Amino acid sequence: MDNALTTSPNALPMTVENEPAPSMGARLQALPLRSKAALGVGLAALVGVVLAMTMWSGQGDFRPVFTGLSDKDGGAVIAQLATMNVPYRNEPGGTILVPSSQVYDVRMKLASAGLPKGSTVGFELMDKQSIGQTQFNERLNFQRALEGELTRTITALADVADARVHLAIPQQNGFFREQQKPSASVMLTLRGGRALDRSQIAGIVHLISASVPELSPKAVSVLDHTGALLSNTADNGSGLDSQQLQYKQQIEANFNKRIYDLLEPVVGRENLRASVTADVDFSQIESTAEEFKPNQGQNAQASVRSQQSSESNNATPALPTGVPGAATNQPPVPATAPINGASAPLQATQGGANGANSRREAVTNYEVDKTVRVTRNATGTVRRLNAAVVVNHRSSTDPKGKVSSVPVSQEELDKLTSLVKETMGFSQERGDSVKIISAPFMSEKIDTPDLPLWKQPWLLDVVRAAAVPMALVFVALIAVFGMVRPAIRAAYPPPPSAEELEAAAQQQLLNAVVDDPNELPAHGALPALEGPVINEKLERARQLARDNPLAVANIMRAWVNGEELTV
């Protein structure tokens, strides 16, 4: 019985007088050991959560400082970062991440330390000369250094991710009459979606040939990462070089684009396939012709270029002969010759004396007309065009809602053919051909799995990104509401209500009336018994306790002590 009457720690104070409130330390010291331990663990968890959130928010934004590093260079960079006390993350693909606020500083510090060194070595290899090297080792080191320098220069191009250079430099010997010429091979690894044009490939070839003595550009081979030869001058099977092939492809692509732009609005997008083949003539023909214009005919005129005449006369004195009269006294008539070659009999010299010797020569040179014509045909002339177009069937829906494909009518195909001929510049004399047919397109059904919401990639990314802060928040909530808050509530109990104050006053009154060292338990220490809703005896007992508390106290003390009641 005595144990049942002991007061609990949570019992209300037995006095109602105003007493000074205990301090925080006193309240914490009054807490039981379990509450103290819970409070300490909760506060430690909160401090850990705050520190973790601070570190996570300060180092959450990482940026790549280097990408595509080899294992050797990556290990050297990580060791240097550990020495510099810089936080880092190592991801697949040779990518090393550091905090975004330190990217440029770290990059400059690593560059000053000579990192990353790269898998290739240049002329710094010549700095490490050992005693007793043979001539073969010296030549080999020089060749390796030259290959490394060329590799570094080629990888500096924007479209080249990596490169390897192989030089075949034969040993020159003065005893051989015919010396073997050097050669080179270059292996390029291009970046994703990049390609080198003809001028860039030619630049790489000339870079290699100019760096090695007596190396001809024809002896340099350039390959890409797929093994395709990039430095060939002719296309296999067509006889065209890369520039001519590119020009031919541009012509075909231009005509193909014209067809698509014209027919897609008519037949619909993805309902058309077209292909144009162009026969381009790249031959160069140059002809020279000379024409001479003869100065013949009645209206022909000629220009005198030079004229020369000579006359000689060796005659004896003329003696009068014949019958004197008018005929013998006439002067001689000069001889004449036609310019255009018309022959006429020369007039006989009259009045000539017997024994006279006379000679006259005349040479006249005339300009002859000359026309020189040079004809040079254009390069890249389109000799013939062939176009093939396929149009998808039309989709039609019957009254029942069934969808079926219907071929395009021949009349509409003829109209489309006329449009294609006009947009291509169709020429019958050139031998162009256009063919348009209608055929159903086979569509591949791609079954896309209907993923639930919790399996969507975007949701998984969000969960991964928010996993750390959500876990820290959850730990903080557990520490606050499960450990810290109960301990604080135990140290600072809520103020008693009016009913509790009344019950405490009654308890104090009973303790004062009943002269007994044992105090009655506080209100709420013992479990309350559930009674009927309406009990007249209980109400009368309560009324008796209110009217005559002394008698009720005596009765209660007798019950507790086991004494018999006396009336």
Side-chain angles (χ1 to χ4, degrees), residues 27-42:
R27 292 179 182 273
L28 294 179
Q29 290 293 333
L31 291 176
L33 182 60
R34 182 176 181 180
S35 299
K36 292 180 181 179
L39 179 61
V41 174

Side-chain angles (χ1 to χ4, degrees), residues 389-453:
V389 181
V390 181
V391 180
N392 191 13
H393 282 186
R394 300 287 177 83
S395 298
S396 63
T397 305
D398 56 5
K400 297 182 180 180
K402 184 179 180 181
V403 180
S404 60
S405 61
V406 179
V408 182
S409 62
Q410 186 62 37
E411 182 180 359
E412 188 173 357
L413 291 178
D414 294 339
K415 293 180 181 179
L416 297 178
T417 303
S418 301
L419 290 176
V420 173
K421 287 183 178 180
E422 291 297 330
T423 191
M424 288 178 53
F426 183 84
S427 176
Q428 187 68 32
E429 293 79 7
R430 196 169 53 186
D432 296 348
S433 64
V434 176
K435 184 65 176 178
I436 300 180
I437 64 172
S438 178
F441 287 3
M442 301 299 296
S443 59
E444 296 181 0
K445 295 183 179 180
I446 301 176
D447 297 333
T448 56
D450 189 10
L451 296 177
L453 181 62

Side-chain angles (χ1 to χ4, degrees), residues 145-163:
L146 185 57
E147 290 176 352
E149 293 293 334
L150 291 175
T151 300
R152 291 176 178 176
T153 305
I154 295 174
T155 51
L157 298 177
D159 298 335
V160 180
D162 193 10

Side-chain angles (χ1 to χ4, degrees), residues 93-350:
T95 302
I96 298 178
L97 307 177
V98 298
S100 58
S101 59
Q102 305 180 14
V103 171
Y104 300 103
D105 295 339
V106 169
R107 192 173 296 171
M108 294 182 67
K109 291 179 181 179
L110 291 177
S112 64
L115 295 174
K117 296 181 179 179
S119 57
T120 58
V121 292
F123 283 117
E124 65 270 10
L125 184 64
M126 307 301 296
D127 298 336
K128 302 177 182 179
Q129 297 290 339
S130 60
I131 300 176
Q133 272 192 342
T134 61
Q135 185 178 3
F136 174 77
N137 291 334
E138 291 180 355
R139 285 193 301 104
L140 186 59
N141 290 338
F142 176 76
Q143 181 174 340
R144 289 180 56 196
L146 185 57
E147 290 176 352
E149 293 293 334
L150 291 175
T151 300
R152 291 176 178 176
T153 305
I154 295 174
T155 51
L157 298 177
D159 298 335
V160 180
D162 193 10
R164 295 193 66 181
V165 179
H166 302 278
L167 299 178
I169 304 177
Q171 183 179 1
Q172 302 296 332
N173 195 336
F175 294 100
F176 293 104
R177 180 174 298 176
E178 295 181 358
Q179 300 290 343
Q180 187 177 1
K181 300 296 182 181
S183 60
S185 300
V186 183
M187 178 72 178
L188 301 179
T189 301
L190 304 180
R191 301 187 186 276
R194 303 292 185 88
L196 298 178
D197 56 13
R198 186 169 178 267
S199 60
Q200 291 176 315
I201 297 173
I204 294 176
V205 171
H206 284 279
L207 171 67
I208 301 297
S209 63
S211 302
V212 180
E214 298 183 2
L215 177 59
S216 175
K218 297 181 179 179
V220 179
S221 301
V222 181
L223 290 81
D224 62 358
H225 58 281
T226 62
L229 185 62
L230 302 179
S231 60
N232 58 338
T233 58
D235 181 69
N236 294 330
S238 62
L240 304 178
D241 59 13
S242 58
Q243 187 174 6
Q244 293 174 351
L245 184 61
Q246 183 179 4
Y247 177 74
K248 179 176 178 293
Q249 292 175 352
Q250 288 178 355
I251 293 177
E252 295 174 349
N254 186 19
F255 283 111
N256 205 9
K257 184 178 181 298
R258 290 183 182 180
I259 295 175
Y260 271 93
D261 293 342
L262 185 65
L263 298 186
E264 273 190 348
V266 179
V267 300
R269 191 174 181 86
E270 300 298 333
N271 290 327
L272 176 70
R273 295 293 184 272
S275 177
V276 179
T277 303
D279 185 7
V280 185
D281 185 11
F282 292 99
S283 60
Q284 296 181 357
I285 300 175
E286 183 177 352
S287 61
T288 304
E290 295 185 0
E291 297 179 358
F292 296 92
K293 182 180 179 181
N295 52 351
Q296 296 180 357
Q298 297 180 355
N299 299 326
Q301 296 180 358
S303 300
V304 178
R305 182 175 61 182
S306 62
Q307 186 176 6
Q308 181 181 2
S309 62
S310 62
E311 183 179 356
S312 61
N313 188 4
N314 186 11
T316 57
L319 297 176
T321 57
V323 179
T328 58
N329 293 328
Q330 294 293 329
V333 179
T336 60
I339 296 177
N340 296 328
S343 60
L346 296 177
Q347 298 180 0
T349 304
Q350 298 180 1

Side-chain angles (χ1 to χ4, degrees), residues 347-524:
Q347 298 180 0
T349 304
Q350 298 180 1
N354 293 332
N357 188 4
S358 176
R359 183 176 180 179
R360 179 182 296 174
E361 295 181 357
V363 178
T364 304
N365 296 324
Y366 299 95
E367 292 289 347
V368 180
D369 293 340
K370 179 181 179 181
T371 302
V372 178
R373 183 178 293 105
V374 178
T375 303
R376 180 177 299 172
N377 293 343
T379 304
T381 305
V382 177
R383 291 186 297 190
R384 186 179 178 183
L385 290 176
N386 299 326
V389 181
V390 181
V391 180
N392 191 13
H393 282 186
R394 300 287 177 83
S395 298
S396 63
T397 305
D398 56 5
K400 297 182 180 180
K402 184 179 180 181
V403 180
S404 60
S405 61
V406 179
V408 182
S409 62
Q410 186 62 37
E411 182 180 359
E412 188 173 357
L413 291 178
D414 294 339
K415 293 180 181 179
L416 297 178
T417 303
S418 301
L419 290 176
V420 173
K421 287 183 178 180
E422 291 297 330
T423 191
M424 288 178 53
F426 183 84
S427 176
Q428 187 68 32
E429 293 79 7
R430 196 169 53 186
D432 296 348
S433 64
V434 176
K435 184 65 176 178
I436 300 180
I437 64 172
S438 178
F441 287 3
M442 301 299 296
S443 59
E444 296 181 0
K445 295 183 179 180
I446 301 176
D447 297 333
T448 56
D450 189 10
L451 296 177
L453 181 62
W454 58 277
K455 286 186 177 181
Q456 295 293 334
W458 63 270
L459 184 59
L460 295 178
D461 295 339
V462 172
V463 170
R464 293 191 191 98
V468 175
M470 292 299 293
L472 295 177
V473 170
F474 183 71
V475 172
L477 292 177
I478 293 177
V480 170
F481 291 99
M483 301 178 182
V484 178
R485 185 180 178 184
I488 294 177
R489 293 184 66 178
Y492 289 91
S497 61
E499 297 177 355
E500 293 176 348
L501 290 175
E502 183 180 358
Q506 294 178 1
Q507 181 183 2
Q508 291 177 359
L509 183 59
L510 292 175
N511 291 331
V513 171
V514 179
D515 188 10
D516 194 337
N518 296 326
E519 294 183 355
L520 296 176
H523 177 70

